[in-house]
Amino acid sequence: MSKSEEGMRRGVQIHALCYVAANLIQALAWWLFTPGLHFWPIWSIIGWGTGLIAHIWGVRAATNRVIRT
């Protein structure tokens, strides 16, 4: 694995860790302060999750391209 591939994979790991941490904090805030309202953190989970999936997809495509050539 080249350094650039390693860096891309590390970037995905950091992105995923931030995604999980931020959404857990939002879910906790919802549970503590507004449990009677709709689950508003879902919008962050869906929106940011879409970005995370695109990031993973892009890194996988780039690493597959490097491996094939």
Side-chain angles (χ1 to χ4, degrees), residues 25-37 40:
I25 291 168
Q26 289 181 41
L28 180 63
W30 168 81
W31 183 65
L32 289 173
F33 301 115
T34 59
L37 297 177
W40 52 262

Side-chain angles (χ1 to χ4, degrees), residues 31-56:
W31 183 65
L32 289 173
F33 301 115
T34 59
L37 297 177
H38 72 284
F39 185 66
W40 52 262
I42 192 69
W43 302 112
S44 173
I45 292 167
I46 292 170
W48 195 345
T50 303
L52 178 59
I53 289 168
H55 188 180
I56 293 167

